[in-house]
């Protein structure tokens, strides 16, 4: 999955697979990569266009969709 680099101190990069409805995020603090299942494409577009993506993540993604930790880089 292609991830986009974000100029954000909390979320380093994020990507989305529309066919599987999977949102993937890499966190800046520890390099942890998490996938969120059953995320509608509209949420992905709203996240990408939001002026504060980390705030959008906290309010509309975290705790709303099943989460899987994939790997730790940091």
């Amino acid at each position: 999955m292609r991830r986009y680099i974000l100029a954000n101190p909390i979320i380093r990069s994020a990507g989305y697979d529309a066919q599987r409805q999977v949102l993937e995020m890499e966190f800046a603090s520890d390099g942890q990569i998490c996938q969120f299942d059953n995320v509608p494409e509209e949420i992905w577009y709203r996240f990408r266009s939001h002026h504060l993506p980390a705030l959008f993540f906290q309010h509309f993604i975290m705790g709303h969709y099943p989460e899987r930790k994939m790997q730790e880089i940091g």
Side-chain angles (χ1 to χ4, degrees):
M1 170 182 323
R2 178 179 178 208
R3 288 198 309 266
Y4 298 88
I5 302 298
L6 302 177
N8 187 284
I10 297 171
I11 302 168
R12 181 178 296 149
S13 65
Y16 184 73
D17 182 328
Q19 289 183 336
R20 294 175 34 227
Q21 289 192 315
V22 172
L23 174 64
E24 185 172 282
M25 294 195 179
E26 177 188 5
F27 294 95
S29 62
D30 60 2
Q32 181 73 49
I33 296 173
C34 294
Q35 288 187 342
F36 298 85
D37 295 320
N38 305 317
V39 178
E41 196 167 7
E42 175 190 347
I43 295 293
W44 164 243
Y45 287 122
R46 288 177 58 199
F47 168 77
R48 289 235 12 236
S49 64
H50 200 275
H51 67 285
L52 296 171
L55 185 64
F56 185 90
F57 169 74
Q58 290 175 346
H59 286 274
F60 298 104
I61 298 171
M62 186 172 67
H64 294 271
Y65 301 98
E67 176 182 346
R68 288 179 283 132
K69 294 183 180 182
M70 302 305 292
Q71 69 185 70
E72 192 170 321
I73 297 171

